[in-house]
Amino acid sequence: MNFTYFLFFICIIVCTMIITYWAAKRSNTTNHFYIAAGSLSGLQNGMAIAGDFISAASFLGIVGAIALNGYDGFLYSIGFLVSYLVVMFFIAEPVHHLGKYSLGDVVCSRFPSNKMRFTMASGAFLISILYMIPQLVASGLLIRLLLNIDYSISVMIIGSLMTVYVVFGGMIATSWVQIVKTVVLLSGTFLLSLIVFSRLDWNVSELIAKVSANTPLREQFFMTGQLFASPVELFSLQLALVLGTAGLPHILIRFFTVRNTIEVRRSLVSATWIIGVFYMMTLVLGFGTVAFLGYEKLVASDATGNLAAPLLAGEVGGDFLLAFISAIAFTTIVAVVAGLVISATTAFSHDIYHHIWKKGKSTEKEQLRAARWTALGIGLISTLFALQLENINVTFLVSLTFIVAASSNLPVLLLTIYWKRFNQTGVIAGMVCGITVSLTVVLLGPNVMNPDHGWILKEAIFPLYNPGVIAIPSGFAAAILGSLLSAKKESLNDWQRFAIFSQTGTGRERP
Amino acid sequence: MGDELQKLVKQKRMLVMLLTMFAFLFYFGLPLSITFFPEIMNAPSPIMQISWAWLYAFLQIPMTWVLVFVYYSVMKRFDRLLKKLVQGDAA
């Protein structure tokens, strides 16, 4: 590793450690630890949401997907962005009104019981871990490719950093690491986009001509159907993308970190602007990679295309810019995994330890201690898992997370908030069926069962790479049928008070 | 306060349903149109000769921003009305 790379990495580690030190002094109550005491402004939270959401799969994966497949690669970005409309219209405000620290709080505000809390906590825990492991594996592989550091060391560095941020700094450190990440990520991609255009004398037509000349797809690069030949696959992916975000616990708990609904809405306005602008720049970077580097060189370095952005930086800006963009990729990963650690920690220490195990009677000090130990445990276990999974292709786990979230958490949250006849049986049926069906269709699908490169070297039983179109309706159907077929009903009066409170935050005592 | 509050919440739901219907039609219109009308979608549009498929995909970004802005603005009015109702009730 040369000196420039080393300097950038040390700079990032030092900056984030200063943030953690500052946050640690403030994280002395559970309210501060879990939700930063609701102290973030809408803009800050919007930046943190973008930092939490734009993972390595978004930054590196989408630039690569555009560079390799042209138009179809860009469709991922669209789905990720539009998904925030579902979050804003249906979920964000009610979650803010109904919950305190976790999604378990939200469902328990209508159906108070340990069973509900356990179901929601298990879902949030599973989704966060499922998302964290591929991010850690990808980070190890990426840093090995970029910096020539051993895979195990890379994973251990990222695993330790995310654990330290959360154990000592809780939500405050996590939020500010994510805010810093958003700033450097946007600045880096903006700078790189400017360099790409300046090399072409700000001429878009020349960029397009150069792209056509340097891709084996030629004019087809700009046409539809390069990645998704099957309409069902395309529709299914778009469905999972647009609905998935609204079920991701690490994104939803961010709505507890602001003080009122106006700030919740401001968070989403800022997040959608940042994410939208960012995805437009990924398009320039994807095109720029093909124009300056060419398809062959890109695929020779890494067949998945994930190194497109750093390679482009090296090509147009030399070693210094390559080091800068690599450092941004590194920050991107640590910010996302830290968000996942705090989400899994809240599910375990707040819902399971405090409410179920200690029956809500543990002291503030005990809760805080439990939260820190949980964060340490989660960091350690996921790092150990990631170390074992070096040689296994786990990238499909990222899309699996969106499918699990859209088919379990989303139906349960939506129906809890909006459906009068929904009940506890429906919650359990929706969560269990959503998770089981999505895991089953993925395990039996071509991502796992593949005669050439699958975990199971056999023909897939279920044909779709993107099984959202089956899993998501199953989760909704199970939640609805579970409610209709069970006898439990609640009084109309309770429902009306709950419905008004979930939308307005008035007419009922806050949880 | 009860009835008026319910009316207000109902109005909010109507707005959300309208915006969602528009957003979903616009969003799922993209995969459907490139699946069923690939020739038309890959043909150049009058705007800078970029194809309809690209134009439609780009438009999803401002569509999101506009809908977010509309919701944000209407909800400001909702908040004012809500505050009036709650204050009236307290008085």
Side-chain angles (χ1 to χ4, degrees):
Chain A
M1 182 162 64
N2 76 26
F3 185 68
T4 325
Y5 286 43
F6 184 71
L7 208 67
F8 270 117
F9 278 79
I10 290 297
C11 183
I12 283 171
I13 292 174
V14 169
C15 284
T16 53
M17 282 302 161
I18 293 172
I19 292 172
T20 309
Y21 174 74
W22 166 81
K25 287 199 288 188
R26 284 157 180 79
S27 296
N28 41 16
T29 64
T30 44
N31 200 28
H32 282 88
F33 187 89
Y34 288 131
I35 58 166
S39 61
L40 295 187
S41 70
L43 177 65
Q44 288 165 345
N45 196 35
M47 290 167 85
I49 289 172
D52 217 356
F53 185 72
I54 302 171
S55 63
S58 281
F59 174 38
L60 304 169
I62 288 182
V63 176
I66 293 169
L68 295 180
N69 308 297
Y71 180 85
D72 285 11
F74 187 54
L75 292 178
Y76 277 97
S77 318
I78 301 296
F80 284 138
L81 176 68
V82 177
S83 70
Y84 276 88
L85 290 178
V86 181
V87 179
M88 186 169 201
F89 296 161
F90 293 101
I91 300 286
E93 289 172 43
V95 161
H96 174 81
H97 290 140
L98 299 170
K100 192 177 175 196
Y101 298 148
S102 68
L103 296 185
D105 291 338
V106 176
V107 172
C108 284
S109 67
R110 181 167 172 196
F111 309 119
S113 87
N114 279 350
K115 240 184 334 191
M116 293 298 96
R117 202 172 272 286
F118 183 77
T119 311
M120 293 311 289
S122 309
F125 194 81
L126 180 79
I127 291 171
S128 303
I129 298 285
L130 268 182
Y131 204 33
M132 188 168 6
I133 289 172
Q135 301 282 347
L136 280 172
V137 173
S139 70
L141 295 172
L142 181 84
I143 291 174
R144 181 176 68 186
L145 277 166
L146 287 172
L147 308 174
N148 235 344
I149 305 178
D150 188 58
Y151 173 84
S152 323
I153 298 174
S154 317
V155 169
M156 279 195 283
I157 293 174
I158 296 219
S160 321
L161 281 176
M162 70 177 190
T163 313
V164 167
Y165 300 152
V166 179
V167 169
F168 294 104
M171 184 55 106
I172 303 178
T174 307
S175 304
W176 282 98
V177 167
Q178 287 166 347
I179 292 170
V180 169
K181 168 252 181 102
T182 300
V183 173
V184 291
L185 180 66
L186 281 183
S187 327
T189 41
F190 183 61
L191 182 74
L192 199 50
S193 306
L194 286 185
I195 295 175
V196 166
F197 276 124
S198 73
R199 288 289 178 96
L200 297 163
D201 295 328
W202 314 97
N203 188 341
V204 182
S205 315
E206 205 180 321
L207 175 66
I208 291 169
K210 265 192 119 170
V211 170
S212 298
N214 287 326
T215 166
L217 296 170
R218 302 293 166 210
E219 263 68 47
Q220 289 291 317
F221 182 88
F222 298 101
M223 296 196 177
T224 60
Q226 306 309 317
L227 191 58
F228 307 108
S230 145
V232 184
E233 288 279 7
L234 175 61
F235 185 80
S236 187
L237 173 77
Q238 296 283 305
L239 185 71
L241 293 181
V242 82
L243 297 179
T245 310
L248 290 176
H250 69 292
I251 299 294
L252 299 185
I253 60 168
R254 294 227 55 89
F255 299 116
F256 301 129
T257 64
V258 289
R259 65 177 180 279
N260 56 32
T261 27
I262 299 171
E263 297 302 323
V264 168
R265 291 180 210 131
R266 281 191 186 140
S267 310
L268 283 160
V269 172
S270 334
T272 45
W273 271 96
I274 294 167
I275 294 168
V277 168
F278 172 76
Y279 284 139
M280 287 212 267
M281 291 193 292
T282 57
L283 192 63
V284 178
L285 302 192
F287 281 12
T289 309
V290 185
F292 289 101
L293 202 73
Y295 177 88
E296 274 78 25
K297 247 178 160 175
L298 171 64
V299 176
S301 303
D302 176 37
T304 60
N306 282 340
L307 290 182
L311 288 174
L312 170 67
E315 188 72 23
V316 297
D319 228 20
F320 185 82
L321 197 61
L322 170 59
F324 181 51
I325 294 294
S326 305
I328 290 175
F330 176 78
T331 325
T332 296
I333 295 164
V334 284
V336 174
V337 286
L340 292 164
V341 172
I342 191 128
S343 147
T345 300
T346 311
F348 189 85
S349 61
H350 173 66
D351 287 328
I352 293 180
Y353 170 80
H354 173 62
H355 278 285
I356 299 176
W357 188 8
K358 293 284 177 182
K359 300 184 172 59
K361 287 178 185 145
S362 54
T363 62
E364 185 78 6
K365 211 172 158 189
E366 282 170 338
Q367 285 181 58
L368 208 54
R369 200 185 314 133
R372 292 190 203 282
W373 279 107
T374 309
L376 182 68
I378 288 166
L380 216 65
I381 292 167
S382 17
T383 309
L384 286 176
F385 262 109
L387 285 173
Q388 300 302 314
L389 293 173
E390 177 182 357
N391 298 316
I392 298 175
N393 179 11
V394 286
T395 42
F396 70 90
L397 287 179
V398 174
S399 55
L400 171 67
T401 312
F402 273 75
I403 295 167
V404 175
S407 49
S408 58
N409 262 350
L410 179 67
V412 168
L413 286 174
L414 272 181
L415 296 172
T416 300
I417 299 166
Y418 295 98
W419 192 35
K420 193 164 61 181
R421 296 192 62 184
F422 197 44
N423 62 24
Q424 300 198 22
T425 316
V427 172
I428 295 174
M431 285 299 284
V432 172
C433 181
I435 292 173
T436 317
V437 172
S438 34
L439 289 178
T440 311
V441 286
V442 169
L443 285 175
L444 300 179
N447 282 307
V448 175
M449 295 182 79
N450 195 312
D452 304 322
H453 51 79
W455 285 14
I456 303 168
L457 298 170
K458 278 186 179 165
E459 282 294 334
I461 296 169
F462 184 77
L464 294 176
Y465 280 93
N466 299 291
V469 75
I470 301 292
I472 300 169
S474 307
F476 274 95
I480 293 170
L481 285 176
S483 301
L484 292 178
L485 297 177
S486 69
K488 284 180 192 168
K489 277 185 186 147
E490 65 181 317
S491 82
L492 189 66
N493 215 5
D494 282 349
W495 159 252
Q496 275 170 347
R497 261 216 314 273
F498 172 86
I500 287 176
F501 180 75
S502 70
Q503 297 302 319
T504 61
T506 58
R508 197 180 181 217
E509 211 174 301
R510 280 195 80 83
Chain B
M1 168 178 149
D3 284 350
E4 289 197 43
L5 203 56
Q6 270 187 31
K7 219 167 98 187
L8 197 63
V9 169
K10 216 171 172 182
Q11 281 173 358
K12 182 182 174 185
R13 283 210 189 129
M14 280 295 290
L15 170 79
V16 163
M17 289 318 292
L18 272 175
L19 293 179
T20 309
M21 260 158 54
F22 177 77
F24 275 20
L25 280 176
F26 198 82
Y27 173 73
F28 286 110
L30 179 65
L32 291 176
S33 60
I34 58 179
T35 300
F36 293 110
F37 314 106
E39 286 85 19
I40 299 173
M41 294 306 284
N42 283 314
S45 71
I47 300 165
M48 291 170 71
Q49 293 298 299
I50 59 170
S51 73
W52 288 105
W54 276 104
L55 192 68
Y56 194 1
F58 280 134
L59 279 176
Q60 303 274 342
I61 298 176
M63 181 275 289
T64 309
W65 289 337
V66 168
L67 291 193
V68 161
F69 177 75
V70 169
Y71 179 80
Y72 181 79
S73 317
V74 177
M75 280 302 111
K76 262 188 183 167
R77 210 176 60 218
F78 174 87
D79 282 347
R80 272 200 302 272
L81 289 171
L82 179 67
K83 205 173 163 188
K84 254 193 214 163
L85 274 179
V86 173
Q87 278 172 350
D89 195 57

